[in-house]
Amino acid sequence: REVFRERREVAIAELKKIPGIKLSEPKGAFYLFVKAIEDDAGAFSERAKKFDLLLVPSDSFGYKGFVRIAYCVTTEQVERALPAFKALAEATLNK
């Protein structure tokens, strides 16, 4: 459990540093809900693919306008995804 807690904490801390990113902090899950930076979470998820990020629109999970990202991957994968998430946010805010 400790490794998942560590991944969650790293992801939350780094995502909070990215302008435009807002998120829900779960206490015991393997994923985070991040507010899509545009009105359409599906379109935001599609845009994320250009940055090699796989996001799931979370409207059907009860979080309308959010996307779900998992951290049940390696710590290296979490760390590698964070700069891509920053680039996605910048591209979306500057479109």
Side-chain angles (χ1 to χ4, degrees):
R1 282 192 265 173
E2 181 62 25
V3 72
F4 289 110
R5 186 197 62 74
E6 179 182 320
R7 290 176 191 157
R8 181 184 68 230
E9 296 306 317
V10 166
I12 288 171
E14 294 303 314
L15 287 168
K16 283 183 170 181
K17 293 178 186 178
I18 300 172
I21 296 293
K22 297 176 185 165
L23 57 105
S24 172
E25 298 181 32
K27 301 298 181 211
F30 298 107
Y31 48 82
L32 302 172
F33 288 108
V34 176
K35 179 81 172 126
I37 300 175
E38 55 189 274
D39 292 336
D40 184 341
F44 185 68
S45 296
E46 282 300 312
R47 179 188 306 277
K49 290 177 185 178
K50 296 176 185 170
F51 295 86
D52 294 326
L53 296 170
L54 184 57
L55 310 179
V56 178
S58 57
D59 294 8
S60 62
F61 297 110
Y63 282 87
K64 186 169 177 57
F66 282 72
V67 295
R68 189 169 100 161
I69 61 172
Y71 56 86
C72 57
V73 294
T74 67
T75 302
E76 178 186 358
Q77 287 172 298
V78 171
E79 292 169 345
R80 197 173 55 234
L82 293 166
F85 221 105
K86 182 177 181 187
L88 167 63
E90 290 171 351
T92 304
L93 290 170
N94 295 322
K95 70 173 185 165

